[in-house]
Amino acid sequence: MKRLILASGSPRRAELLGILGVTFDVVSPDVDETRRPGEEPGRYVERLARAKAEVGAAPETVSLGADTVIVHDGRVLGKPGHPSEARSMLTALAGTTHHVLSGVAVAMLEGGRLVVDSLVESALVRFAAVTEDEIDAYIATGEPLDRAGAYAIQEKGALLVESIDGHPTTVIGLPLPATRRLLTRMGIETLV
């Protein structure tokens, strides 16, 4: 039986992967997440997902990596470094629609060579027209500081979102239908 590693320090990704009914170990990969000049957002998240997955690749071990970005008006929004940056992001998102891209990759050493499979899923998110006071109240929760785009739909940030076109787990950071397909291709059986 193959071992599964989640190459991510994200508790949200671990929770989501657990839904698939698989047993896995968690390893936090040390990967440079700097975006390359002119790198298209989809290629960026897929490159990072692949790099993270490759860190844990070993014989009879499937390593799963993922990365997520918010794209608003052609600009990639990562995790805010401080409350004022979160405020700026949330103000820009208020009352508009943006894309969320999640790259997912699996990697394993097979016969001495690295085998990697990856894909990118997207979702379109419509943000509510929130007020400055609502943004400040949300920032005061501390939730936005560890989230791409400064919000989390699985927590209080759900109140800021009007609709999602795409799978909600894509927005959270690990698109489960796509992840399940990749794991199945690598010989990892899931609950469903």
Side-chain angles (χ1 to χ4, degrees), residues 12 14 23 34 57 59 63 65 77 93 100 105 109 111-112 114-115 124 129 131 133-134 142 146 168 172 191:
R12 294 162 296 284
T23 302
T34 306
S63 180
L77 304 180
L93 294 174
V100 178
L109 287 177
L114 182 65
V115 177
L124 195 60
T131 66
D133 287 344
E134 290 169 323
D146 186 35
I172 298 170
L191 187 61

Side-chain angles (χ1 to χ4, degrees), residues 1-39:
M1 188 164 135
K2 292 179 184 170
R3 177 180 179 217
L4 176 61
I5 289 176
L6 173 60
S8 172
S10 166
R12 294 162 296 284
R13 287 194 180 106
E15 266 181 41
L16 288 172
L17 187 56
I19 291 171
L20 293 180
V22 294
T23 302
F24 59 94
D25 296 308
V26 175
V27 174
S28 292
D30 185 17
V31 172
D32 179 5
E33 296 191 16
T34 306
R35 188 169 165 220
R36 295 175 180 159
E39 189 172 28

